[in-house]
Amino acid sequence: MVSLKLQKRLAASVLGCGKRKVWLDPNEVGDISMANSRANIRRLVKDGYVIRKPVVVHSRARVRLNDAAKRKGRHMGHGKRKGTRDARMPQKVIWMRRMRVLRHMLRKYREQSKIDRHMYHELYLRCKGNVFKNKRVLMEYIHQAKVEKTRDENLDAQYEARRLKNRALRERKAARLEEKRTGVAGEEKPAAEKKE
């Protein structure tokens, strides 16, 4: 049998692929063996005697199936785990994600004027101190703090109103007493003058 090593190499060069991807027509071995230049090989490619083989399929169907099962929690038991818990999902990454979520929420609340800058700063430090484990807990704390704040403000306003009212009462009482005293003193003077 004729060796077609040269033709296969030239065909690979012309087609821009590896030698294993070149197919030479076994029925046209005579014509192919006569081709000793790239131009001749191009002519054979045009005639269909030399073809580039299709790419072998590397299916990911099984991988996709397996990934879908893993998302449901299958194949994730103790026997399938290689790394430590911290290697699989580091505590630091979990912490960073939580901090980013909480700080983003605080920033949003401050921009919407739901909390003032003093409360923002206090809550920021509390977040850093691991007081809130998620957004829901932080939100509940903010609502509770706002309710307490408004209640304290209302109580302060009531105390202030009561104080002003009491002060006004005291002043009126003092004024009445003063009037009485001046009235009594005024009556005593004419009586003393009469005696004289």
Side-chain angles (χ1 to χ4, degrees):
M1 189 179 167
V2 186
S3 172
L4 300 175
K5 206 171 181 182
L6 169 70
Q7 285 77 6
K8 190 161 261 199
R9 180 175 65 77
L10 291 175
S13 174
V14 167
L15 294 169
C17 63
K19 283 182 278 189
R20 66 196 286 270
K21 288 287 175 190
V22 174
W23 178 83
L24 304 174
D25 193 341
N27 301 324
E28 304 295 336
V29 172
D31 289 351
I32 292 170
S33 63
M34 297 298 288
N36 60 0
S37 69
R38 284 180 166 75
N40 291 345
I41 294 290
R42 282 194 197 96
R43 184 174 51 75
L44 291 172
V45 169
K46 194 177 177 186
D47 294 343
Y49 298 159
V50 176
I51 298 172
R52 179 179 178 167
K53 287 183 192 172
V55 176
V56 176
V57 173
H58 183 189
S59 174
R60 283 191 57 81
R62 287 183 299 280
V63 178
R64 278 196 288 270
L65 262 175
N66 202 31
D67 285 349
K70 278 187 175 178
R71 276 196 291 278
K72 289 180 181 175
R74 318 286 189 267
H75 321 293
M76 298 289 278
H78 290 294
K80 289 285 182 182
R81 300 178 198 172
K82 289 290 176 116
T84 61
R85 183 192 294 175
D86 205 54
R88 286 161 66 85
M89 190 69 247
Q91 289 294 309
K92 187 173 183 180
V93 172
I94 294 169
W95 171 260
M96 287 192 304
R97 283 180 187 169
R98 193 169 67 172
M99 283 301 102
R100 282 171 187 167
V101 165
L102 294 176
R103 286 172 182 178
H104 179 73
M105 185 182 159
L106 283 177
R107 210 161 41 244
K108 195 171 78 173
Y109 269 38
R110 185 181 62 182
E111 283 164 8
Q112 292 173 352
S113 303
K114 288 184 179 178
I115 54 174
D116 60 352
R117 62 195 178 92
H118 305 292
M119 195 181 216
Y120 169 86
H121 187 63
E122 184 199 330
L123 293 173
Y124 188 96
L125 293 178
R126 280 176 182 265
C127 287
K128 189 180 179 183
N130 199 20
V131 174
F132 311 112
K133 69 174 184 177
N134 54 35
K135 255 166 67 167
R136 183 179 53 79
V137 174
L138 175 57
M139 209 180 290
E140 283 172 7
Y141 183 90
I142 289 170
H143 290 320
Q144 198 175 334
K146 284 170 79 175
V147 166
E148 282 178 13
K149 192 179 176 187
T150 51
R151 194 178 68 213
D152 290 346
E153 283 172 1
N154 290 339
L155 285 173
D156 287 346
Q158 285 173 14
Y159 288 144
E160 188 64 31
R162 199 176 296 161
R163 232 174 15 181
L164 290 171
K165 190 179 172 187
N166 289 342
R167 189 189 293 166
L169 275 170
R170 277 199 305 274
E171 285 171 0
R172 278 209 300 276
K173 210 171 189 181
R176 261 190 266 126
L177 278 170
E178 192 64 36
E179 280 173 19
K180 276 184 183 177
R181 280 194 198 123
T182 51
V184 168
E187 285 170 11
E188 283 173 2
K189 278 179 186 175
E193 284 169 9
K194 282 175 187 175
K195 282 177 186 177
E196 286 171 3

